[in-house]
Amino acid sequence: MATVNLNIGGLFQPTTATVDQGQYDGDTLLNVNALSPNTTLNINNATGSDNVLELKQTISVGLLSTNTINLGEDAHVKLSGLAGVNIGSTFNYNLSEGSTLEMTSSFLSLGVGNTFNIDLGQDATSTLIYDPTGINLQLSDYPTITGVTAGDQIQVVGATSGAYVNGDLVFKNDLGLTVGRFNADGLDPSKLVFDGGSMTYACYLKGTHIATPEGEVKVETLQAGDKVLTASGGVATVKWLGHRTLYKSRIPAKDAVRAFPVLFKKDSIADNVPHRDLTLSPGHHVSFDGTLVPAMMLVNGQTIVQQFNTKVFEYFHVELEQFDIMLAEGVPAESYVDTGNRSMFQNAAEVAMNPDFGPAEGRPQIEGIKVVQQGPVVEAIRKQLLARAEVLTGASRTTDAALCIEVNGTIVYSTPEYSKEGVYHFALPANAGDVRILSRSAVVRDVTPLARRDVRQIGVGLSGIAVSTAYGRQQIDLADTALTGLNAAQDVKGTTMRWTNGAAVIPAALIGTSDAATLELTVLRTYSYWSEAEGQKAVRAA
């Protein structure tokens, strides 16, 4: 059993330790001994381990002390117990993107007058799992939850319902007994989605403003009989409002493009269109002078983006007495058309347990309305949206791949001599370690006028890798499984090519020499890439 000792040797001296959860197997208890009044433990997951790091703080003595645990990106930590005495102490738990914190009631119940702060990360999507079973002597304040943003989840084991009451998240079991309570002032109740003992904070689709004769209203407030404005200036009547909440964990990878929401940022289509950020389901059609184009075919990665990391989202669809084009945040968008998929909504007469994300079938022909997914008309629309994205963001599209390699932490550029077009040579030092092939990269569909669903991240298309020394030339097989950061092989007019993802790695073992050498990369194809504006680069660097 591994042990991390935080300042065992001396009192009143702040101590910090850092561990990586990948260093411990799933059965390991990480004992943290902390006699110092102020300690910080950083837990990272640099290797992307799927293990859950169980943390048991076996010695914790503190009076007015501060103890902090920071979870790095994708870290998963379980706090299984806390022994010792703490009086008037503060415990801080800070989560990062993709991290999960599990906590038992015994971790909260020992000591008197302690404060527990759990920060879910203001710019992150994270998960808190609370298990109330076991010893629970509540002698301190309830935990305070901060940093709650879209997609964050709180799960309480054994709870069957949840509610937001006077600034507190309250979870109860099937007997009506409170099994979890957290102070969480300032949350927007309209963004809270409770599903049994789970709470998710969502802001997608729910809250979208629809134009009506009396002004804009939130889509979820519409009812049958209500009036809405149409894009042509007319008035239509709501017949039915369908809704369904979807969870990332339940969406098959093959259905991702058809399931996850698409965000149209303010002004992405035209000036003040939309006049607020607008989120649509990927199959929802946007109208361009009577031509309806699915939202997923308009994504450009800059001003129109698909949000694959959203953990939960609730779609609303408005059916009118007669099909028409409504205004959602000022964007002309279609009303719901029943194409045989009504059962996917939770409030339908018959509800499908697993929604079908396949293409709609049986869409009726409507005079004056043309539905187009690809072809010259869509290409023209995409060109306009791409050009607008450049103006709005300052980014530009470039065909310069900015190809280089990184060896032993040093960037190496190709030599100016070329044996033939597309062949690049890089000088490798003696004892070179792993070699990273770096370049610009782009999602295939984001930068082209062609309407595509291809969401591969591609950098440069390699058709050959070789290493030359004074003793000869060795070819590295593109199909070698030791190579990482490469897309699947494809045939290009009889030549095998693999796109990098912008950061491919050639392990040192494949280089095959400790002498100085020359790396030869044959690039069969490059692509178009988004190049950030200088201002954006400066902000990232800062």
Short mmCIF file of all heavy atoms in Angstrom, two decimals, residues 35 42-43 65 110 123 136 169 181 216 223 261 269 273 282 295 316 324 343 369 372 429:
data_model
loop_
_atom_site.label_atom_id
_atom_site.label_comp_id
_atom_site.label_asym_id
_atom_site.label_seq_id
_atom_site.Cartn_x
_atom_site.Cartn_y
_atom_site.Cartn_z
N LEU A 35 0.43 15.81 9.09
CA LEU A 35 0.47 16.42 10.41
C LEU A 35 0.62 17.93 10.34
O LEU A 35 0.48 18.62 11.34
CB LEU A 35 1.63 15.83 11.21
CG LEU A 35 1.47 14.36 11.61
CD1 LEU A 35 2.68 13.91 12.40
CD2 LEU A 35 0.21 14.16 12.42
N ASN A 42 -1.53 17.36 -5.15
CA ASN A 42 -1.91 17.45 -6.57
C ASN A 42 -1.97 16.05 -7.16
O ASN A 42 -1.00 15.29 -7.03
CB ASN A 42 -0.91 18.30 -7.34
CG ASN A 42 -0.76 19.70 -6.77
OD1 ASN A 42 -1.75 20.40 -6.57
ND2 ASN A 42 0.47 20.11 -6.51
N ILE A 43 -3.07 15.71 -7.79
CA ILE A 43 -3.23 14.39 -8.38
C ILE A 43 -3.46 14.56 -9.88
O ILE A 43 -4.47 15.12 -10.31
CB ILE A 43 -4.41 13.62 -7.75
CG1 ILE A 43 -4.19 13.50 -6.24
CG2 ILE A 43 -4.56 12.25 -8.39
CD1 ILE A 43 -5.36 12.89 -5.49
N SER A 65 -6.64 24.55 10.24
CA SER A 65 -5.71 24.22 9.15
C SER A 65 -6.40 24.34 7.80
O SER A 65 -7.63 24.43 7.71
CB SER A 65 -5.15 22.82 9.34
OG SER A 65 -6.20 21.86 9.26
N LEU A 110 -16.11 13.70 10.24
CA LEU A 110 -15.22 13.71 11.39
C LEU A 110 -14.70 15.12 11.65
O LEU A 110 -14.31 15.83 10.74
CB LEU A 110 -14.05 12.75 11.16
CG LEU A 110 -14.44 11.28 11.05
CD1 LEU A 110 -13.22 10.42 10.80
CD2 LEU A 110 -15.16 10.81 12.30
N ASP A 123 -14.17 26.64 -15.83
CA ASP A 123 -14.03 26.41 -17.28
C ASP A 123 -13.87 24.93 -17.58
O ASP A 123 -13.24 24.55 -18.56
CB ASP A 123 -12.81 27.18 -17.81
CG ASP A 123 -12.97 28.68 -17.64
OD1 ASP A 123 -14.07 29.18 -17.92
OD2 ASP A 123 -12.00 29.34 -17.24
N ASN A 136 -22.12 8.68 9.62
CA ASN A 136 -22.38 10.05 9.20
C ASN A 136 -22.77 10.89 10.41
O ASN A 136 -23.93 11.03 10.75
CB ASN A 136 -23.48 10.09 8.15
CG ASN A 136 -23.61 11.46 7.50
OD1 ASN A 136 -22.94 12.41 7.90
ND2 ASN A 136 -24.46 11.57 6.51
N LEU A 169 -28.70 22.32 -2.96
CA LEU A 169 -29.05 21.13 -3.73
C LEU A 169 -29.36 20.03 -2.73
O LEU A 169 -28.51 19.64 -1.94
CB LEU A 169 -27.89 20.71 -4.63
CG LEU A 169 -27.55 21.66 -5.78
CD1 LEU A 169 -26.22 21.30 -6.42
CD2 LEU A 169 -28.66 21.65 -6.83
N ARG A 181 -26.83 16.92 0.83
CA ARG A 181 -27.18 18.34 0.80
C ARG A 181 -25.90 19.15 0.56
O ARG A 181 -24.87 18.91 1.20
CB ARG A 181 -27.84 18.76 2.11
CG ARG A 181 -28.49 20.14 2.06
CD ARG A 181 -29.11 20.52 3.38
NE ARG A 181 -29.98 21.68 3.25
CZ ARG A 181 -31.29 21.65 3.24
NH1 ARG A 181 -31.92 20.48 3.38
NH2 ARG A 181 -32.01 22.74 3.11
N GLU A 216 -40.04 37.90 -27.48
CA GLU A 216 -39.38 36.60 -27.40
C GLU A 216 -39.72 35.88 -26.09
O GLU A 216 -39.79 36.50 -25.04
CB GLU A 216 -37.86 36.77 -27.52
CG GLU A 216 -37.40 37.20 -28.90
CD GLU A 216 -35.90 37.16 -29.04
OE1 GLU A 216 -35.19 37.49 -28.05
OE2 GLU A 216 -35.42 36.81 -30.13
N GLN A 223 -46.74 26.50 -25.23
CA GLN A 223 -47.78 25.49 -25.06
C GLN A 223 -48.65 25.46 -26.30
O GLN A 223 -48.68 26.41 -27.10
CB GLN A 223 -48.65 25.82 -23.84
CG GLN A 223 -47.90 25.85 -22.52
CD GLN A 223 -48.81 26.21 -21.36
OE1 GLN A 223 -50.03 26.21 -21.48
NE2 GLN A 223 -48.21 26.50 -20.22
N PRO A 261 -25.16 18.64 -29.76
CA PRO A 261 -25.66 19.96 -30.18
C PRO A 261 -24.64 20.77 -30.98
O PRO A 261 -23.43 20.62 -30.82
CB PRO A 261 -25.98 20.65 -28.85
CG PRO A 261 -25.15 19.94 -27.83
CD PRO A 261 -25.04 18.53 -28.29
N ILE A 269 -24.00 33.99 -38.60
CA ILE A 269 -24.65 33.89 -39.92
C ILE A 269 -24.66 35.25 -40.61
O ILE A 269 -24.37 35.35 -41.81
CB ILE A 269 -26.07 33.33 -39.78
CG1 ILE A 269 -26.00 31.88 -39.24
CG2 ILE A 269 -26.80 33.37 -41.11
CD1 ILE A 269 -27.35 31.25 -38.98
N VAL A 273 -27.38 37.99 -36.34
CA VAL A 273 -28.05 36.71 -36.63
C VAL A 273 -27.05 35.58 -36.38
O VAL A 273 -26.11 35.43 -37.16
CB VAL A 273 -28.58 36.64 -38.08
CG1 VAL A 273 -29.28 35.32 -38.33
CG2 VAL A 273 -29.51 37.81 -38.38
N PRO A 282 -28.27 18.70 -34.21
CA PRO A 282 -27.51 18.66 -35.48
C PRO A 282 -28.36 18.47 -36.71
O PRO A 282 -27.99 18.91 -37.80
CB PRO A 282 -26.55 17.48 -35.26
CG PRO A 282 -27.15 16.68 -34.16
CD PRO A 282 -27.85 17.65 -33.28
N ALA A 295 -28.03 21.76 -39.44
CA ALA A 295 -27.02 22.48 -38.66
C ALA A 295 -25.66 21.79 -38.72
O ALA A 295 -24.61 22.44 -38.78
CB ALA A 295 -27.48 22.61 -37.21
N PHE A 316 -35.67 20.69 -27.46
CA PHE A 316 -37.08 21.04 -27.60
C PHE A 316 -37.39 21.24 -29.08
O PHE A 316 -36.62 21.87 -29.80
CB PHE A 316 -37.42 22.33 -26.83
CG PHE A 316 -37.50 22.14 -25.35
CD1 PHE A 316 -36.36 22.16 -24.57
CD2 PHE A 316 -38.73 21.95 -24.73
CE1 PHE A 316 -36.43 21.99 -23.20
CE2 PHE A 316 -38.81 21.77 -23.36
CZ PHE A 316 -37.66 21.79 -22.59
N ASP A 324 -43.78 25.65 -40.84
CA ASP A 324 -43.34 26.99 -41.22
C ASP A 324 -41.93 27.21 -40.69
O ASP A 324 -41.36 26.37 -39.98
CB ASP A 324 -44.29 28.05 -40.67
CG ASP A 324 -44.41 29.25 -41.61
OD1 ASP A 324 -43.37 29.63 -42.21
OD2 ASP A 324 -45.52 29.80 -41.75
N SER A 343 -41.61 9.26 -31.50
CA SER A 343 -41.42 8.44 -30.30
C SER A 343 -40.10 8.72 -29.59
O SER A 343 -39.88 8.25 -28.48
CB SER A 343 -41.49 6.95 -30.65
OG SER A 343 -40.44 6.58 -31.52
N ILE A 369 -40.18 25.11 -50.18
CA ILE A 369 -39.11 24.74 -49.26
C ILE A 369 -38.27 23.65 -49.90
O ILE A 369 -38.79 22.62 -50.34
CB ILE A 369 -39.67 24.24 -47.92
CG1 ILE A 369 -40.49 25.33 -47.24
CG2 ILE A 369 -38.54 23.77 -47.01
CD1 ILE A 369 -39.69 26.55 -46.82
N VAL A 372 -31.62 20.70 -48.58
CA VAL A 372 -30.37 20.36 -49.25
C VAL A 372 -29.30 20.06 -48.20
O VAL A 372 -29.17 20.79 -47.21
CB VAL A 372 -29.89 21.52 -50.15
CG1 VAL A 372 -28.61 21.13 -50.88
CG2 VAL A 372 -30.97 21.90 -51.15
N PRO A 429 19.79 14.25 -33.69
CA PRO A 429 21.03 14.18 -32.92
C PRO A 429 21.29 12.75 -32.47
O PRO A 429 20.42 11.88 -32.54
CB PRO A 429 20.74 15.09 -31.72
CG PRO A 429 19.26 14.95 -31.52
CD PRO A 429 18.68 14.83 -32.92
#
